[in-house]
Amino acid sequence: YGTVRYVGSVPPAAGIWLGVEWDDPQRGKHDGTYEGTQYFKCRHPRGGSFIRPNKANFGVDFLTAVKDRYGLDDKQDGTENTLMFGKKTVEFVGVDSIAEQQRQVRLNQLVDISVREHAVSRAGQKEEISRTCANMRHINLSKNLISSWETVTAIASQVQNLETLNVSENKMKFPSTSTSLSSVFSKLRILALNKTEITWTEVLLCASGWPALEELYLTSNNITVLERPDNVLQTLKVLDLSDNQLLDGNQLHLIAHLPRLEQLILRNTGISSIHFPDVGFGCKTKMFPSLKHLAINDNKISQWSSINELDKLPSLRSLQCHNNPVMDTEKNPETLRQLIIAKISQLEVLNKSEIPPAERKGAELDYRKIFGNDWLAAGGHWNPEKNKPNEEFLAAHPRYPALCLKYGAPEEGELKSQQPSTLKNQLLTLTIKCPERPEQKPVEKKLPESMTIQKVKGLLYRLLKIPGSELKLSYRSSKLEGKEVELDNDLKPLQFYSIEDGDCVLVRW
């Protein structure tokens, strides 16, 4: 794949040459200069070559590619138009027209069409697509030879009910002025423009023609600066800006008022911080009002303050944030996960893994204990009238007051063995009861909190002679009377469920 940058003679060689800049610069030999004369320019010093015109494939029209892709071209399929009856040859009249009608019917039945890598470069004859492929709704035109948005529009204008369009990996020219073609893309819901070299300004100029668009994919383009989308993209639910170097997290404020945006993908955009300055901690921002899913993995976020800020998002339910420097501040991945869960109150999925209620409770209780000594040192107190932690502590741990309201302030005894940024690892004194077997006397055991549920079942097997696979475990907390929490994951340790000293483990089978 390449772009023709020059057509003409290249002395002393005879004839016409094409000066080509390759998409893959490894194919090239020079920068468009030959024997001291510069015939064209390349972005890469060795990205260009000269080739003869007969070596170049300039592509085909859309319908030719469709027929080739789906085996519906005009070539004969080898069937004969004649048949022998004894010694007589009988010719079938009109076989060709019947075959053509069958081809037309099959094309008209196609709803989802992909001509990826089929060298499509032009629309073809006007109205031919609408006449031949009347039922198309989803078109994949990725990695072809389309060089302008006009070509895409010419194809789309013949598709009455177009819903999904993928024109990624076509190096295209886009309009430099606003073009309202709402009737062409009036039903378009999903649009992929990855690797098309489009800028955000060009996106906004075209967007007035996408009145119903819900999903927009813009990865690996020239998008470095965002602008506020005024009166466009108001129906957008999914926006993917991955692999564009935005660098500055404040750029996000410019797209923060898209009213219906539910999913924002910002993987590898170079952002180092996130901040919502319109409200303080404990309040919900007016920015991104509908945002449920956020992906900020593979970035340069290095401060926990950016994670704290995410708690301000009113609708956030799912977060992907791995491969950021801030994640390297905690060596234990389990602790890291608990810190993030505790900091973002409404999170239900973290790095594609669901957060069950028991895990949230455990994370919040541990967070409250881990930073309890810091809370006291900063002016925290068990007496509500004296509880006045300083601004520095509240900035680092904005959810801490809410966790104290939810579970109560950490007791002094809980904090003695705590060390900042490490989960407690101690022996728990637990009472083991069989509520449905009154003849079985309660047993008191000291178990390490790092012991998995599976190993607890192994211990109980030795005590009760009941196979572990038949055992169902739960526990009652001394602090939460009447509530029973099921120990439903054999691979998790006791500390995952926030079991504490003095709690009662219930065994049923």
Side-chain angles (χ1 to χ4, degrees), residues 358-370:
E359 184 180 15
R360 170 159 292 286
K361 180 191 170 190
E364 292 179 343
L365 283 170
D366 276 321
Y367 188 92
R368 170 180 145 276
K369 295 173 188 176
I370 286 169

Side-chain angles (χ1 to χ4, degrees), residues 408-425:
E411 297 174 13
E412 193 170 6
E414 294 179 290
L415 305 177
K416 286 180 180 177
S417 62
Q418 292 303 313
Q419 296 176 358
S421 296
T422 59
L423 295 176
K424 57 187 169 64
N425 191 17

Side-chain angles (χ1 to χ4, degrees), residues 3-6 10 17-22 24-34 39-40 42 46-52:
T3 303
V4 176
R5 300 291 188 199
Y6 172 79
V10 184
W17 293 84
L18 304 179
V20 176
E21 180 181 7
W22 301 109
D24 177 8
Q26 302 296 323
R27 290 188 59 91
K29 297 179 180 179
H30 50 69
D31 65 352
T33 301
Y34 180 69
Y39 293 90
F40 62 97
C42 289
R46 296 185 64 82
S49 299
F50 288 105
I51 64 169
R52 291 295 192 184

Side-chain angles (χ1 to χ4, degrees), residues 459-475:
L459 172 72
L460 293 170
Y461 166 69
R462 292 192 290 275
L463 280 174
L464 306 170
K465 306 303 179 190
I466 304 293
S469 59
E470 296 180 19
L471 296 177
K472 291 182 180 179
L473 306 186
S474 58
Y475 85 95

Side-chain angles (χ1 to χ4, degrees), residues 200 216-220 223 226 239-246 252 255 264-269:
W200 184 250
L216 180 58
Y217 300 89
L218 298 168
T219 70
S220 304
I223 298 171
L226 299 179
L239 177 60
D240 189 351
L241 290 166
S242 299
D243 300 307
N244 291 289
Q245 290 306 296
L246 298 175
L252 302 182
I255 56 169
L264 180 60
I265 307 167
L266 299 168
R267 182 181 52 80
N268 188 31
T269 52

Side-chain angles (χ1 to χ4, degrees), residues 472-476 484-487 504-508:
K472 291 182 180 179
L473 306 186
S474 58
Y475 85 95
R476 284 193 189 129
E484 193 173 316
V485 178
E486 190 177 349
L487 306 177
C504 181
V505 174
L506 305 175
V507 187
R508 295 181 176 88

